[in-house]
């Protein structure tokens, strides 16, 4: 898909991987709608991008607000061609810890936001895309964010790994579901990236996270995630796949 003149909706678009993706697609000529919580800096991030950018406050599990975000994209910019799911939470808790069994509410929230929220955006965005006329034999591209924790979850990552493994599991069947609508679905499984979540860590801790990454021997940069999203959108034969973006990292148990 040619990105110039298309419209992309990016959840988690106010920071981290989502904001890097919004910038990459906007730089390539797309209109972008940043979807994030009302308390986020989404309004400021959209203003920084300037023309062709808008902010839609929404929790990805809140169907009416997601519908409002999609309506903003189609009404202001004329279409919805790309949806990128970056919104998520990162809980850390052992199955049985010093204070007892894993908090079930924590586990449920991780699945609800990361997995159910992702599918909520997929189904609503796909419905909007399916109603459009195809251009260059495509109606849309959906990119999801999993994690290498889906394959090598560490100690304390039961909830996070399970929610991300669910995104991996839905990628192929959703791609097959949407094939007749000419909508592609691809998932990225990033490794350890230099996002705001890690920014507050001391340098020693950041160095330790990077130590096991074979090459490049450093944390991933958010713009590299954004670049892969752009490459997925532009390559019409990528579909139904989960792509690891991790510098050949395979996570240890701890």
């Amino acid at each position: 898909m040619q990105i110039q003149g298309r419209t992309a909706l990016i959840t988690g678009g106010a920071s981290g991987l989502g904001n890097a993706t919004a910038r990459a697609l906007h730089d390539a000529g797309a209109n972008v709608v940043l979807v994030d919580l009302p308390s986020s800096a989404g309004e400021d991030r959209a203003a920084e991008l300037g023309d062709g950018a808008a902010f839609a406050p929404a929790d990805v599990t809140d169907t009416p607000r997601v519908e409002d975000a999609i309506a903003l994209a189609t009404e202001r910019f004329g279409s919805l061609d790309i949806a990128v799911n970056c919104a998520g939470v990162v809980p850390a808790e052992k199955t049985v810890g010093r204070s007892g069994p894993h908090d079930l509410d924590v586990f449920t929230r991780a699945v609800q936001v990361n997995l159910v929220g992702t599918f909520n955006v997929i189904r609503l965005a796909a419905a909007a895309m399916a109603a459009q006329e195809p251009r260059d034999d495509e109606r849309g591209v959906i990119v999801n964010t999993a994690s290498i924790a889906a394959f090598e979850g560490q100690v304390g990552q039961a909830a996070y790994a399970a929610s991300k493994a669910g995104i991996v599991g839905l990628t192929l069947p959703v791609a097959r579901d949407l094939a007749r609508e000419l909508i592609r679905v691809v998932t990225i499984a990033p490794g350890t990236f230099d996002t705001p979540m890690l920014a507050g860590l001391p340098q020693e801790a950041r160095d330790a996270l990077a130590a096991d990454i074979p090459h490049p021997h450093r944390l991933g940069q958010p713009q590299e995630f954004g670049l892969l999203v752009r490459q997925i959108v532009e390559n019409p034969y990528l579909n139904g796949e989960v792509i690891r973006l991790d510098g050949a990292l395979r996570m240890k148990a701890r």
Side-chain angles (χ1 to χ4, degrees):
M1 175 182 290
Q2 294 298 314
I3 296 174
Q4 179 70 39
R6 303 295 183 120
T7 301
L9 182 145
I10 304 105
T11 72
S15 65
L17 302 181
N19 191 244
T21 298
R23 291 179 180 277
L25 296 177
H26 190 264
D27 287 348
N31 303 305
V32 295
V33 175
L34 282 60
V35 179
D36 216 312
L37 296 174
S39 59
S40 74
E43 196 73 59
D44 292 338
R45 300 292 85 81
E48 290 169 2
L49 291 173
D51 291 343
F55 172 58
D59 181 319
V60 292
T61 65
D62 186 336
T63 294
R65 297 291 78 76
V66 174
E67 290 174 333
D68 288 346
I70 291 171
L72 174 63
T74 56
E75 292 169 9
R76 181 174 300 187
F77 301 121
S79 66
L80 177 62
D81 310 288
I82 303 159
V84 186
N85 282 297
C86 292
V89 294
V90 189
E93 187 174 341
K94 291 183 179 179
T95 305
V96 178
R98 292 176 181 175
S99 59
H102 196 299
D103 187 323
L104 189 58
D105 288 341
V106 171
F107 190 96
T108 301
R109 180 170 182 265
V111 173
Q112 187 70 17
V113 175
N114 293 351
L115 178 56
V116 178
T118 291
F119 186 71
N120 194 34
V121 175
I122 289 173
R123 71 187 187 93
L124 297 173
M129 293 172 179
Q132 301 173 159
E133 289 299 316
R135 287 189 280 174
D136 300 325
D137 204 33
E138 287 195 278
R139 285 194 174 94
V141 181
I142 298 172
V143 182
N144 305 309
T145 304
S147 167
I148 61 171
F151 310 103
E152 299 123 29
Q154 295 185 294
V155 167
Q157 286 190 328
Y160 181 68
S163 66
K164 293 299 187 177
I167 295 172
V168 169
L170 65 74
T171 301
L172 181 59
V174 172
R176 287 171 165 171
D177 284 348
L178 298 178
R180 70 175 187 175
E181 308 297 345
L182 307 181
I183 299 169
R184 293 187 287 117
V185 181
V186 176
T187 292
I188 301 172
T192 309
F193 271 70
D194 192 4
T195 62
M197 184 179 69
L198 301 183
L201 294 178
Q203 190 59 47
E204 181 179 351
R206 291 163 58 84
D207 291 343
L209 287 170
D212 292 330
I213 301 172
H215 179 69
H217 196 52
R218 57 168 173 77
L219 298 176
Q221 297 301 310
Q223 59 266 31
E224 294 168 327
F225 181 94
L227 174 61
L228 181 54
V229 172
R230 176 175 175 172
Q231 291 165 334
I232 289 168
V233 173
E234 291 180 328
N235 190 327
Y237 208 61
L238 270 175
N239 193 18
E241 186 56 270
V242 178
I243 303 172
R244 292 182 67 126
L245 185 65
D246 59 14
L249 174 64
R250 298 297 180 269
M251 299 291 280
K252 297 177 180 178
R254 296 178 185 270

